[in-house]
Amino acid sequence: MARSLVIKVTAGADAPERCNQAFNVAAAALASGVPVSLWLTGESSWFALPGRASEFELPHAAPLADLLAAVLAAGRVTLCTQCAARRGITVDDVIDGVRIAGAPTFVEEATAEGVQALVY
């Protein structure tokens, strides 16, 4: 069985390098043919909203909007249910292709056979 990645990013503009690393690893894995599920939690939740990834800047890093687009095109992007609720984000607010799901779904994905979970 091929391995896949479940990547949970908890950081946003509050920790830009850690945030960018998660998106960069997700996009690089997808480009290498590795299936990826990217989870937006904590401050990264804001990137589920249209235009927010374009506002993120980190010198010498690929644009976050490009990395997110790559993951949306070839992988899965999930916004944490509780994180969305705490920020007043609903399913009607998010970018097309982003789903909202909770801890049971994360646990199911992260514990599946052949999965490596990474948390940033």
Side-chain angles (χ1 to χ4, degrees):
M1 171 181 265
R3 291 192 57 135
S4 62
L5 287 175
V6 174
I7 300 172
K8 179 185 270 194
V9 56
T10 63
D14 59 324
E17 287 185 289
R18 187 162 34 110
C19 174
N20 184 266
Q21 287 170 2
F23 281 83
N24 195 43
V25 167
L30 285 164
S32 298
V34 176
V36 172
S37 176
L38 179 67
W39 282 72
L40 306 176
T41 68
E43 286 303 298
S44 73
S45 299
W46 296 113
F47 300 125
L49 298 176
R52 290 294 185 99
S54 296
E55 297 171 3
F56 180 91
E57 292 184 17
L58 182 63
H60 309 291
L64 197 69
D66 293 351
L67 297 173
L68 177 57
V71 178
L72 282 166
R76 172 182 282 159
V77 178
T78 306
L79 172 59
C80 163
T81 302
Q82 289 182 15
C83 300
R86 279 191 284 275
R87 289 160 179 81
I89 300 171
T90 70
V91 68
D92 295 327
D93 300 322
V94 299
I95 299 166
D96 286 342
V98 173
R99 70 176 177 161
I100 297 177
T105 304
F106 177 80
V107 170
E108 180 181 348
E109 285 187 15
T111 59
E113 186 175 340
V115 172
Q116 173 69 51
L118 304 173
V119 179
Y120 287 88

